[in-house]
Amino acid sequence: MLLLLVAAIFVALIVFSMPIVFALGVSAAAGLWIGGYDMQVLSSSLVSGSQSWVLLAIPAFVFAGGLMERCGMSHTLVDFARALVGWVKGGLGMSVILVAYFFSDICGSKMAEVSALGSTLMPPLTKAGYRREDSASLIAAGTAMGMLVPPAIFMIVIAQVTNTSAVALFLAGFIPAAVIMACLMALVWYRARKYDWPVDTRPSAALLLVTARRASVPLVIPVVILGGFIGGVFTATEAGAVVAAYAVVAARFYYRNVSFAEMGKLAYESAILTASVVFLLAVASVFQYLMGVSGVPALLAEVLAPLKSMPWLFLLCTALITMMFGMVLEGLPAAVVLIPVVFPIAEKMNINPYHFNIVQTAAVGIGLFLPPMGVGLLMALKFAGLTVGRHWRTYLPYIAALLLGLLLIILFPEISLFLPRAVGAIN
């Protein structure tokens, strides 16, 4: 009854337009007070939930992503991807998926990525003759897939709330993202032939070399991150500092189009975003305590007990629930509210924690771009000038491709575990 009352307070506050993080905090504090629990838990949980070394990676990656988008690295990636595959049937659509994979590794923020890809890719897709519905679907599906490509802020947060290694989780994301990318590529190939999508002219060798040289500036970053993790050179937090320093050098001495004043503004915006994420984690720790003392994990364990012999079905069910949370609550609130509750159950089922986290990360990425309320999808549609009602039918095949990729990740754990195991990051 207490949790039902807390949920009712939370929903009521959301209905009255209170920001999610404050609604979560107020409802959790009200639950502690109504339940007669020691209110000192409120202050101690707020402090403990916000103190973690790995969280320092967030402002560095956010700043680096904003700076790279500002100086035009996304444009060089688009040109390179079009030169690589734009000349084959459906190649321009495939280049969107490729850019989403590359740029996710650089940007780190889903909303920043949607903004960058929407503004960069929508005009050439429209000019080439792609319908706006397909253009928006390509950008949305590609960005949803990109949630798995580090350095995603969500991965840092989920590593924090499940007490797992952010570095190992980063490594675990590369191959699952490639699997979902392959599913999307296959769909683009099919639809290109069915609807006779246009193609670019075949580039000359000189043009290919020029675009590759320009794209090498941002493409150095995933190589540095992956190489640093594999070689044990730096942690996730130190990787953020390295990437941020590289972005500053590239912006000032290669692109030369970002002033120090603009960098200061980006640093300020990164600090604001980081503060909101850390405050969300702090508030969520209170909510998690309340759910723990109310017996929610034990109740869920009892309800999900029949799935003990079928871990894949447990993962599928939790992924579907996470998708719904991701659509309604956005990504980070979904992670800090739901995942800490079901994670202990997954451990008791002997599900590898990194496999579980990758499945949840993919599910949140898909949820952010699910109609009718996914905030990422709504932003992509804004760039296309479309409504959900006009777009959703075109988007259904892309959702199916994303779900197929998710199912493959669930059924074959080694897709997620191969790379971190190969380099010794996990056993």
Side-chain angles (χ1 to χ4, degrees):
M1 289 298 296
L2 176 62
L3 283 180
L4 288 177
L5 181 59
V6 170
I9 295 172
F10 176 73
V11 172
L13 293 174
I14 293 294
V15 169
F16 284 101
S17 301
M18 179 177 284
I20 290 176
V21 63
F22 293 113
L24 191 65
V26 171
S27 57
L32 289 175
W33 182 72
I34 294 170
Y37 298 108
D38 187 355
M39 293 302 290
Q40 288 185 352
V41 171
L42 184 62
S43 57
S44 60
S45 296
L46 286 172
V47 173
S48 62
S50 59
Q51 292 186 346
S52 175
W53 174 257
V54 73
L55 296 179
L56 288 175
I58 295 176
F61 281 127
V62 172
F63 171 74
L67 184 54
M68 292 171 187
E69 191 279 325
R70 173 64 183 82
C71 66
M73 288 190 185
S74 57
H75 293 277
T76 63
L77 290 173
V78 170
D79 293 341
F80 182 50
R82 290 186 68 173
L84 279 178
V85 297
W87 51 274
V88 302
K89 197 67 173 177
L92 185 54
M94 292 179 185
S95 69
V96 175
I97 309 300
L98 278 176
V99 172
Y101 189 97
F102 291 146
F103 196 65
S104 292
D105 195 55
I106 296 169
C107 197
S109 168
K110 287 298 101 182
M111 295 306 101
E113 184 184 347
V114 174
S115 177
L117 296 185
S119 60
T120 304
L121 292 170
M122 195 63 69
L125 287 168
T126 303
K127 185 178 180 181
Y130 280 67
R131 294 191 310 145
R132 286 184 296 165
E133 290 84 353
D134 280 304
S135 301
S137 297
L138 286 164
I139 292 170
T143 313
M145 169 270 301
M147 177 69 86
L148 287 164
V149 184
I153 295 173
F154 183 85
M155 284 186 169
I156 299 173
V157 172
I158 197 175
Q160 164 71 7
V161 300
T162 59
N163 196 28
T164 50
S165 167
V167 169
L169 191 57
F170 279 1
L171 291 170
F174 282 104
I175 298 178
V179 169
I180 297 181
M181 180 173 68
C183 295
L184 291 172
M185 289 284 202
L187 174 64
V188 171
W189 179 86
Y190 169 77
R191 289 179 67 84
R193 279 152 181 76
K194 182 177 180 180
Y195 297 106
D196 192 28
W197 285 357
V199 298
D200 286 343
T201 57
R202 185 188 292 267
S204 64
L207 178 61
L208 188 59
L209 287 174
V210 168
T211 57
R213 179 181 60 80
R214 291 174 179 169
S216 64
V217 177
L219 291 179
V220 164
I221 296 169
V223 176
V224 170
I225 292 175
L226 190 58
F229 289 160
I230 292 175
V233 178
F234 43 65
T235 65
T237 303
E238 292 161 346
V242 170
V243 172
Y246 178 85
V248 171
V249 172
R252 286 300 301 166
F253 300 105
Y254 182 80
Y255 293 100
R256 301 179 181 180
N257 57 359
V258 184
S259 66
F260 284 115
E262 290 173 305
M263 289 185 188
K265 183 179 179 181
L266 287 171
Y268 172 78
E269 293 171 352
S270 302
I272 295 296
L273 178 58
T274 302
S276 65
V277 171
V278 173
F279 184 58
L280 174 62
L281 284 171
V283 168
S285 65
V286 183
F287 202 81
Q288 292 158 21
Y289 172 83
L290 183 62
M291 288 191 290
V293 297
S294 300
V296 172
L299 177 62
L300 280 176
E302 183 178 346
V303 170
L304 297 171
L307 301 180
K308 188 173 182 179
S309 60
M310 296 179 288
W312 68 269
L313 187 56
F314 169 81
L315 283 172
L316 181 60
C317 291
T318 55
L320 292 175
I321 296 171
T322 301
M323 270 189 272
M324 296 302 104
F325 268 70
M327 178 182 68
V328 176
L329 294 182
E330 303 179 25
L332 292 179
V336 299
V337 172
L338 177 66
I339 291 176
V341 178
V342 296
F343 181 75
I345 304 172
E347 287 188 306
K348 290 181 180 179
M349 290 184 174
N350 294 319
I351 296 173
N352 185 283
Y354 295 95
H355 182 213
F356 175 84
N357 284 348
I358 287 297
V359 169
Q360 300 308 311
T361 301
V364 166
I366 296 171
L368 282 170
F369 293 88
L370 276 183
M373 298 170 61
V375 64
L377 177 63
L378 295 178
M379 183 174 287
L381 293 180
K382 180 180 178 181
F383 282 100
L386 296 171
T387 62
V388 174
R390 181 177 171 184
H391 172 258
W392 71 271
R393 290 183 179 83
T394 303
Y395 191 43
L396 286 179
Y398 297 89
I399 295 176
L402 291 169
L403 293 177
L404 174 61
L406 175 62
L407 184 61
L408 292 173
I409 295 169
I410 290 173
L411 294 177
F412 302 100
E414 282 303 312
I415 292 175
S416 305
L417 303 179
F418 171 77
L419 187 56
R421 277 179 175 163
V423 302
I426 61 174
N427 297 324

